Amino acid sequence: MSMDLFEALRSDRTPLFLAPQAGVSESPFRRLCRRFGADVVVSEFVSADGIVRGNPRSDRYLRFDEAERPIGIQIFGSDPVMMADAAAYVSEVYAPDFVDVNFGCPVKKIVKRNGGSGCLRDLGLVERIVRAVVDATPLPVTTKIRSGFDEPSRDPVGIALRCQEAGSRMVTLHPRTRTDMYSGVARWDEIRALVEALDVPVVGNGDVSTGDDARRMRDETGCHGVMIARGSHGNPWIFRDARAALDGRPVPPPPDIRERFAVCLEHARNAIRYGGRDPEVAAREFRKHLGWYTKGMPGGRAFRSELFQVNSLEEIEARIAGYLERVEEGSLEPVG
Ligand SMILES: Cc1cc2nc3c(=O)[nH]c(=O)nc-3n(C[C@H](O)[C@H](O)[C@H](O)COP(=O)(O)O)c2cc1C
Protein backbone atom coordinates (compact mmCIF):
# COMPACT_ATOMS: atom_id res chain seq x y z
CA MET A 1 0.00 0.00 0.00
CA SER A 2 2.74 2.43 0.90
CA MET A 3 4.39 1.56 -2.44
CA ASP A 4 1.24 2.86 -4.11
CA LEU A 5 1.53 6.13 -2.23
CA PHE A 6 5.14 6.78 -3.19
CA GLU A 7 4.44 5.70 -6.76
CA ALA A 8 1.46 8.03 -6.89
CA LEU A 9 3.67 10.87 -5.66
CA ARG A 10 6.00 10.21 -8.58
CA SER A 11 3.16 10.09 -11.12
CA ASP A 12 1.12 12.93 -12.63
CA ARG A 13 -1.78 12.22 -10.32
CA THR A 14 -0.88 14.71 -7.55
CA PRO A 15 -2.43 12.89 -4.57
CA LEU A 16 -4.58 14.95 -2.22
CA PHE A 17 -3.82 14.75 1.50
CA LEU A 18 -6.11 15.46 4.42
CA ALA A 19 -3.80 17.30 6.84
CA PRO A 20 -3.08 16.14 10.36
CA GLN A 21 -5.31 18.29 12.58
CA ALA A 22 -5.64 17.89 16.32
CA GLY A 23 -9.30 17.55 17.28
CA VAL A 24 -10.42 17.48 13.63
CA SER A 25 -8.68 14.74 11.62
CA GLU A 26 -10.10 11.91 13.70
CA SER A 27 -10.99 8.55 12.19
CA PRO A 28 -14.64 9.38 11.31
CA PHE A 29 -13.64 12.59 9.51
CA ARG A 30 -10.73 10.88 7.78
CA ARG A 31 -13.09 8.22 6.39
CA LEU A 32 -15.46 10.89 5.14
CA CYS A 33 -12.67 12.77 3.40
CA ARG A 34 -11.35 9.58 1.82
CA ARG A 35 -14.80 8.97 0.38
CA PHE A 36 -14.94 12.47 -1.07
CA GLY A 37 -11.58 12.09 -2.77
CA ALA A 38 -8.73 12.54 -0.29
CA ASP A 39 -6.11 10.04 -1.48
CA VAL A 40 -4.07 9.99 1.73
CA VAL A 41 -4.91 10.89 5.32
CA VAL A 42 -2.73 11.63 8.34
CA SER A 43 -3.69 11.22 11.99
CA GLU A 44 -3.67 14.16 14.33
CA PHE A 45 -0.32 14.50 16.09
CA VAL A 46 0.23 12.09 18.94
CA SER A 47 2.72 12.72 21.72
CA ALA A 48 5.63 10.26 21.71
CA ASP A 49 5.70 10.64 25.47
CA GLY A 50 2.05 9.64 25.73
CA ILE A 51 2.54 6.63 23.47
CA VAL A 52 5.56 5.33 25.36
CA ARG A 53 3.91 5.85 28.75
CA GLY A 54 0.79 4.05 27.55
CA ASN A 55 -1.52 7.04 27.98
CA PRO A 56 -4.99 5.48 27.49
CA ARG A 57 -6.05 8.39 25.30
CA SER A 58 -3.32 7.61 22.75
CA ASP A 59 -5.20 4.56 21.45
CA ARG A 60 -8.13 6.70 20.33
CA TYR A 61 -5.73 8.89 18.35
CA LEU A 62 -3.79 5.96 16.88
CA ARG A 63 -6.59 3.61 15.79
CA PHE A 64 -7.83 3.69 12.23
CA ASP A 65 -10.04 1.76 9.87
CA GLU A 66 -8.59 -0.24 6.95
CA ALA A 67 -10.74 1.93 4.63
CA GLU A 68 -8.59 4.92 5.57
CA ARG A 69 -5.41 3.55 3.99
CA PRO A 70 -3.02 4.89 2.92
CA ILE A 71 -2.66 6.57 6.29
CA GLY A 72 0.23 8.13 8.15
CA ILE A 73 0.42 8.36 11.91
CA GLN A 74 2.01 11.60 13.04
CA ILE A 75 4.12 11.74 16.19
CA PHE A 76 5.80 14.63 17.96
CA GLY A 77 8.39 15.03 20.67
CA SER A 78 11.85 16.39 21.27
CA ASP A 79 13.69 13.34 22.58
CA PRO A 80 15.10 11.15 19.78
CA VAL A 81 15.03 8.00 21.97
CA MET A 82 11.42 8.56 22.98
CA MET A 83 10.48 9.30 19.36
CA ALA A 84 12.20 6.08 18.23
CA ASP A 85 10.38 4.01 20.86
CA ALA A 86 7.05 5.58 19.92
CA ALA A 87 7.66 4.94 16.21
CA ALA A 88 8.57 1.31 16.85
CA TYR A 89 5.46 0.77 18.95
CA VAL A 90 3.11 2.49 16.49
CA SER A 91 4.57 0.53 13.58
CA GLU A 92 4.21 -2.81 15.29
CA VAL A 93 0.83 -2.35 16.94
CA TYR A 94 -1.02 -0.14 14.42
CA ALA A 95 0.93 -0.70 11.19
CA PRO A 96 0.10 2.52 9.33
CA ASP A 97 1.49 3.06 5.83
CA PHE A 98 4.02 5.63 7.02
CA VAL A 99 5.14 7.46 10.14
CA ASP A 100 5.13 11.25 9.93
CA VAL A 101 7.23 13.44 12.22
CA ASN A 102 5.77 16.80 13.22
CA PHE A 103 8.14 19.77 13.10
CA GLY A 104 5.41 22.32 12.52
CA CYS A 105 3.16 22.62 15.54
CA PRO A 106 3.25 26.24 16.77
CA VAL A 107 1.30 25.72 20.01
CA LYS A 108 3.11 27.30 22.99
CA LYS A 109 2.75 24.36 25.37
CA ILE A 110 4.46 22.08 22.85
CA VAL A 111 7.10 24.48 21.54
CA LYS A 112 8.21 25.22 25.11
CA ARG A 113 9.27 21.59 25.46
CA ASN A 114 10.99 21.76 22.04
CA GLY A 115 8.26 19.70 20.37
CA GLY A 116 6.71 20.53 16.99
CA SER A 117 8.17 23.71 15.48
CA GLY A 118 10.26 24.14 18.65
CA CYS A 119 12.73 21.69 17.07
CA LEU A 120 13.29 24.13 14.21
CA ARG A 121 15.57 26.16 16.51
CA ASP A 122 18.06 23.30 16.43
CA LEU A 123 18.48 21.57 13.08
CA GLY A 124 20.94 19.11 14.60
CA LEU A 125 18.08 17.92 16.79
CA VAL A 126 15.77 17.68 13.76
CA GLU A 127 18.28 15.43 12.08
CA ARG A 128 18.83 13.26 15.18
CA ILE A 129 15.09 12.78 15.62
CA VAL A 130 14.52 11.78 12.00
CA ARG A 131 17.47 9.38 12.03
CA ALA A 132 16.33 7.78 15.27
CA VAL A 133 12.81 7.28 13.93
CA VAL A 134 14.08 5.92 10.59
CA ASP A 135 16.27 3.41 12.43
CA ALA A 136 13.40 2.32 14.67
CA THR A 137 10.73 1.48 12.09
CA PRO A 138 10.58 -0.62 8.92
CA LEU A 139 7.96 1.83 7.57
CA PRO A 140 8.68 4.88 5.44
CA VAL A 141 9.26 8.00 7.55
CA THR A 142 8.08 11.42 6.38
CA THR A 143 8.32 14.91 7.87
CA LYS A 144 6.07 17.94 8.08
CA ILE A 145 7.81 21.27 8.57
CA ARG A 146 7.24 24.99 8.70
CA SER A 147 9.63 27.41 6.97
CA GLY A 148 11.55 28.17 10.14
CA PHE A 149 11.12 29.13 13.74
CA ASP A 150 11.06 32.85 13.06
CA GLU A 151 11.97 35.27 10.27
CA PRO A 152 15.75 35.38 10.96
CA SER A 153 15.92 31.57 10.98
CA ARG A 154 13.66 31.18 7.94
CA ASP A 155 15.29 28.48 5.77
CA PRO A 156 12.77 25.97 4.41
CA VAL A 157 15.24 24.42 1.95
CA GLY A 158 17.94 24.00 4.60
CA ILE A 159 15.49 22.37 7.00
CA ALA A 160 14.05 20.08 4.34
CA LEU A 161 17.51 19.01 3.16
CA ARG A 162 18.41 18.01 6.72
CA CYS A 163 15.22 15.94 6.88
CA GLN A 164 16.00 14.30 3.55
CA GLU A 165 19.60 13.54 4.55
CA ALA A 166 18.34 11.92 7.72
CA GLY A 167 16.07 9.61 5.72
CA SER A 168 12.73 11.40 5.33
CA ARG A 169 11.03 9.93 2.25
CA MET A 170 8.72 12.90 1.68
CA VAL A 171 8.58 16.43 3.07
CA THR A 172 5.41 18.46 3.57
CA LEU A 173 5.94 22.22 3.86
CA HIS A 174 3.55 24.71 5.41
CA PRO A 175 5.45 27.82 4.32
CA ARG A 176 4.95 30.02 7.37
CA THR A 177 7.26 30.36 10.37
CA ARG A 178 6.28 29.44 13.90
CA THR A 179 6.12 33.17 14.68
CA ASP A 180 3.70 33.69 11.78
CA MET A 181 1.30 31.19 13.36
CA TYR A 182 -1.48 31.51 10.74
CA SER A 183 -1.09 35.18 9.81
CA GLY A 184 -0.23 36.53 6.37
CA VAL A 185 -0.19 34.26 3.37
CA ALA A 186 1.58 30.95 2.87
CA ARG A 187 4.64 31.54 0.67
CA TRP A 188 4.09 29.05 -2.11
CA ASP A 189 7.37 30.16 -3.75
CA GLU A 190 9.08 28.29 -0.89
CA ILE A 191 7.24 25.10 -1.88
CA ARG A 192 8.61 25.55 -5.39
CA ALA A 193 12.13 26.04 -3.97
CA LEU A 194 11.79 22.74 -2.09
CA VAL A 195 10.63 20.91 -5.21
CA GLU A 196 13.74 22.18 -6.98
CA ALA A 197 16.13 21.34 -4.15
CA LEU A 198 14.96 17.91 -2.96
CA ASP A 199 15.15 14.42 -4.46
CA VAL A 200 12.20 13.15 -2.40
CA PRO A 201 8.59 14.18 -3.14
CA VAL A 202 7.34 17.47 -1.74
CA VAL A 203 3.78 17.97 -0.54
CA GLY A 204 2.55 21.56 -0.60
CA ASN A 205 0.34 22.86 2.18
CA GLY A 206 -1.15 26.20 3.17
CA ASP A 207 -4.12 28.33 2.18
CA VAL A 208 -5.81 25.87 -0.19
CA SER A 209 -9.43 26.79 0.44
CA THR A 210 -11.07 25.87 -2.87
CA GLY A 211 -10.64 23.13 -5.43
CA ASP A 212 -9.13 25.63 -7.81
CA ASP A 213 -6.52 26.67 -5.22
CA ALA A 214 -5.24 23.07 -5.29
CA ARG A 215 -4.73 23.24 -9.04
CA ARG A 216 -3.02 26.63 -8.73
CA MET A 217 -0.70 25.33 -6.04
CA ARG A 218 0.35 22.40 -8.23
CA ASP A 219 0.76 24.58 -11.31
CA GLU A 220 2.74 27.30 -9.51
CA THR A 221 5.00 25.05 -7.44
CA GLY A 222 5.23 21.68 -9.20
CA CYS A 223 4.53 19.99 -5.85
CA HIS A 224 3.98 16.21 -5.90
CA GLY A 225 1.00 16.28 -3.57
CA VAL A 226 -1.38 18.87 -2.11
CA MET A 227 -2.39 18.87 1.57
CA ILE A 228 -5.55 20.55 2.85
CA ALA A 229 -6.39 21.43 6.47
CA ARG A 230 -8.73 24.37 7.18
CA GLY A 231 -10.34 24.16 3.74
CA SER A 232 -11.79 20.79 4.78
CA HIS A 233 -13.68 22.18 7.77
CA GLY A 234 -17.36 21.44 7.23
CA ASN A 235 -16.34 20.83 3.63
CA PRO A 236 -15.13 17.33 2.73
CA TRP A 237 -16.41 18.21 -0.78
CA ILE A 238 -13.21 20.21 -1.26
CA PHE A 239 -11.42 16.97 -2.18
CA ARG A 240 -13.96 16.23 -4.93
CA ASP A 241 -13.59 19.80 -6.19
CA ALA A 242 -9.78 19.71 -6.02
CA ARG A 243 -9.64 16.43 -7.96
CA ALA A 244 -11.88 17.87 -10.68
CA ALA A 245 -9.74 21.03 -10.90
CA LEU A 246 -6.48 19.06 -10.97
CA ASP A 247 -7.88 16.86 -13.76
CA GLY A 248 -8.95 19.94 -15.74
CA ARG A 249 -12.64 19.16 -15.31
CA PRO A 250 -15.20 21.78 -14.21
CA VAL A 251 -15.56 22.01 -10.42
CA PRO A 252 -18.99 20.54 -9.48
CA PRO A 253 -21.64 22.85 -8.01
CA PRO A 254 -21.58 23.09 -4.20
CA PRO A 255 -23.79 20.62 -2.29
CA ASP A 256 -27.29 21.86 -1.43
CA ILE A 257 -28.45 22.30 2.16
CA ARG A 258 -29.98 18.82 2.37
CA GLU A 259 -26.81 17.13 1.20
CA ARG A 260 -24.70 19.21 3.58
CA PHE A 261 -26.84 18.15 6.51
CA ALA A 262 -26.97 14.49 5.43
CA VAL A 263 -23.17 14.39 5.47
CA CYS A 264 -22.96 16.48 8.64
CA LEU A 265 -25.32 14.05 10.44
CA GLU A 266 -23.43 11.01 9.24
CA HIS A 267 -20.23 12.64 10.51
CA ALA A 268 -21.91 13.50 13.84
CA ARG A 269 -23.21 9.94 14.37
CA ASN A 270 -19.83 8.39 13.68
CA ALA A 271 -17.86 10.98 15.65
CA ILE A 272 -20.05 10.78 18.73
CA ARG A 273 -19.98 6.99 18.78
CA TYR A 274 -16.25 6.87 18.18
CA GLY A 275 -13.53 6.08 20.65
CA GLY A 276 -15.58 5.22 23.73
CA ARG A 277 -15.91 8.82 24.91
CA ASP A 278 -18.73 10.08 27.08
CA PRO A 279 -21.40 10.90 24.43
CA GLU A 280 -22.12 14.25 26.03
CA VAL A 281 -18.47 15.30 25.84
CA ALA A 282 -18.28 14.00 22.27
CA ALA A 283 -21.43 15.94 21.27
CA ARG A 284 -19.98 19.13 22.72
CA GLU A 285 -16.72 18.54 20.87
CA PHE A 286 -18.73 18.18 17.68
CA ARG A 287 -20.19 21.70 18.02
CA LYS A 288 -17.26 23.21 16.11
CA HIS A 289 -18.05 21.00 13.11
CA LEU A 290 -21.71 22.11 13.27
CA GLY A 291 -20.51 25.69 13.10
CA TRP A 292 -18.41 24.90 10.04
CA TYR A 293 -21.09 22.90 8.18
CA THR A 294 -23.61 25.73 8.56
CA LYS A 295 -21.31 28.53 7.42
CA GLY A 296 -23.01 30.72 4.84
CA MET A 297 -26.44 29.10 5.22
CA PRO A 298 -29.57 31.29 5.40
CA GLY A 299 -30.17 32.28 9.01
CA GLY A 300 -26.91 30.54 9.81
CA ARG A 301 -25.82 32.84 12.57
CA ALA A 302 -28.98 32.40 14.66
CA PHE A 303 -28.95 28.67 13.95
CA ARG A 304 -25.35 28.36 15.06
CA SER A 305 -26.09 29.89 18.45
CA GLU A 306 -28.72 27.12 18.84
CA LEU A 307 -26.24 24.48 17.76
CA PHE A 308 -23.54 25.70 20.14
CA GLN A 309 -25.77 24.58 23.01
CA VAL A 310 -26.30 20.94 22.01
CA ASN A 311 -25.26 18.14 24.36
CA SER A 312 -26.35 15.02 22.48
CA LEU A 313 -26.76 13.47 19.06
CA GLU A 314 -30.55 13.49 19.50
CA GLU A 315 -30.48 17.24 20.07
CA ILE A 316 -28.34 17.75 16.98
CA GLU A 317 -30.79 15.69 14.92
CA ALA A 318 -33.81 17.57 16.29
CA ARG A 319 -32.25 21.02 15.73
CA ILE A 320 -31.31 20.17 12.16
CA ALA A 321 -34.78 18.73 11.44
CA GLY A 322 -36.29 21.94 12.82
CA TYR A 323 -34.02 24.07 10.66
CA LEU A 324 -34.87 22.10 7.53
CA GLU A 325 -38.59 22.60 8.25
CA ARG A 326 -38.02 26.34 8.47
CA VAL A 327 -36.17 26.20 5.15
CA GLU A 328 -39.16 24.40 3.55
CA GLU A 329 -41.56 26.99 4.95
CA GLY A 330 -39.35 29.73 3.57
CA SER A 331 -39.29 31.46 6.95
CA LEU A 332 -35.56 32.11 7.14
CA GLU A 333 -33.70 35.34 6.74
CA PRO A 334 -31.28 34.92 3.83
CA VAL A 335 -28.16 35.86 5.79
CA GLY A 336 -25.20 33.75 6.84
C1 LIG B 1 -7.39 22.73 14.10
C2 LIG B 1 -6.02 22.47 13.55
C3 LIG B 1 -5.24 21.46 14.11
C4 LIG B 1 -3.97 21.19 13.59
N1 LIG B 1 -3.24 20.15 14.10
C5 LIG B 1 -2.08 19.78 13.49
C6 LIG B 1 -1.41 18.59 13.88
O1 LIG B 1 -1.84 17.84 14.77
N2 LIG B 1 -0.25 18.29 13.22
C7 LIG B 1 0.26 19.07 12.22
O2 LIG B 1 1.30 18.74 11.64
N3 LIG B 1 -0.36 20.20 11.84
C8 LIG B 1 -1.53 20.55 12.43
N4 LIG B 1 -2.20 21.65 11.97
C9 LIG B 1 -1.65 22.42 10.83
C10 LIG B 1 -2.24 21.93 9.50
O3 LIG B 1 -1.91 20.57 9.26
C11 LIG B 1 -1.72 22.78 8.31
O4 LIG B 1 -0.33 22.68 8.23
C12 LIG B 1 -2.10 24.27 8.44
O5 LIG B 1 -3.41 24.43 8.93
C13 LIG B 1 -1.98 24.98 7.07
O6 LIG B 1 -2.83 24.38 6.13
P1 LIG B 1 -4.25 25.04 5.70
O7 LIG B 1 -3.95 26.42 5.19
O8 LIG B 1 -4.80 24.11 4.63
O9 LIG B 1 -5.11 25.10 6.91
C14 LIG B 1 -3.46 21.96 12.50
C15 LIG B 1 -4.26 22.98 11.97
C16 LIG B 1 -5.52 23.24 12.46
C17 LIG B 1 -6.34 24.32 11.82
Side-chain angles (χ1 to χ4, degrees):
M1 191 63 80
S2 58
M3 274 308 289
D4 290 350
L5 164 61
F6 289 92
E7 269 168 30
L9 284 163
R10 285 295 179 202
S11 73
D12 290 336
R13 181 166 161 77
T14 319
L16 293 166
F17 288 65
L18 170 67
Q21 295 176 85
V24 177
S25 298
E26 300 177 314
S27 181
F29 188 58
R30 296 194 301 253
R31 271 180 271 154
L32 200 56
C33 291
R34 283 282 285 130
R35 214 174 72 210
F36 278 99
D39 300 286
V40 188
V41 296
V42 185
S43 77
E44 58 190 293
F45 69 168
V46 194
S47 149
D49 243 66
I51 295 170
V52 171
R53 292 218 204 101
N55 182 332
R57 243 187 331 192
S58 297
D59 180 64
R60 177 158 68 83
Y61 302 141
L62 297 168
R63 267 168 37 194
F64 59 85
D65 194 273
E66 285 301 306
E68 294 174 44
R69 288 188 187 278
I71 181 170
I73 285 184
Q74 190 189 63
I75 59 175
F76 75 94
S78 56
D79 175 9
V81 175
M82 189 87 83
M83 288 290 277
D85 287 350
Y89 178 81
V90 161
S91 307
E92 193 177 324
V93 177
Y94 296 90
D97 297 277
F98 58 101
V99 175
D100 189 58
V101 179
N102 175 307
F103 291 123
C105 178
V107 176
K108 203 171 184 177
K109 193 174 83 185
I110 294 183
V111 169
K112 218 172 57 196
R113 288 180 285 152
N114 260 343
S117 61
C119 296
L120 299 179
R121 287 174 291 197
D122 178 356
L123 297 191
L125 178 61
V126 165
E127 202 170 327
R128 286 197 301 284
I129 290 174
V130 177
R131 274 190 207 287
V133 171
V134 167
D135 288 344
T137 171
L139 299 175
V141 173
T142 61
T143 43
K144 181 161 176 285
I145 63 172
R146 280 188 176 237
S147 296
F149 187 75
D150 52 16
E151 217 43 47
S153 69
R154 190 164 196 140
D155 181 17
V157 169
I159 298 165
L161 283 171
R162 296 291 281 260
C163 291
Q164 173 177 286
E165 272 160 35
S168 175
R169 298 268 307 273
M170 166 184 102
V171 179
T172 301
L173 173 64
H174 175 204
R176 285 186 171 91
T177 63
R178 189 271 165 169
T179 315
D180 288 339
M181 300 294 279
Y182 289 93
S183 67
V185 286
R187 282 187 47 188
W188 289 2
D189 59 303
E190 295 182 330
I191 299 174
R192 161 141 226 116
L194 240 61
V195 170
E196 282 162 9
L198 297 195
D199 299 320
V200 298
V202 172
V203 176
N205 169 234
D207 299 351
V208 172
S209 51
T210 67
D212 207 51
D213 288 342
R215 181 197 54 77
R216 251 183 347 102
M217 179 186 271
R218 179 202 57 192
D219 292 351
E220 288 177 18
T221 71
C223 60
H224 304 93
V226 170
M227 179 180 280
I228 302 173
R230 290 167 297 170
S232 71
H233 294 177
N235 189 22
W237 294 273
I238 195 172
F239 292 102
R240 174 197 71 171
D241 297 352
R243 177 52 58 203
L246 287 168
D247 289 353
R249 286 181 284 115
V251 170
D256 64 19
I257 287 184
R258 288 198 171 275
E259 188 187 345
R260 289 185 78 89
F261 279 127
V263 167
C264 168
L265 278 173
E266 177 192 340
H267 184 184
R269 287 185 192 113
N270 290 332
I272 291 168
R273 284 195 202 115
Y274 186 76
R277 257 175 313 176
D278 171 25
E280 208 175 302
V281 172
R284 280 201 290 271
E285 277 180 17
F286 198 76
R287 289 173 182 173
K288 60 178 182 272
H289 291 288
L290 297 172
W292 292 330
Y293 278 108
T294 55
K295 223 170 75 184
M297 283 188 186
R301 193 172 310 166
F303 185 39
R304 271 191 293 282
S305 57
E306 264 184 57
L307 290 172
F308 281 129
Q309 294 166 33
V310 297
N311 292 302
S312 69
L313 178 61
E314 292 68 32
E315 261 181 88
I316 294 172
E317 288 170 336
R319 299 277 183 186
I320 288 177
Y323 177 84
L324 284 171
E325 262 171 43
R326 299 202 292 281
V327 169
E328 304 270 284
E329 288 165 5
S331 65
L332 286 169
E333 299 281 323
V335 284

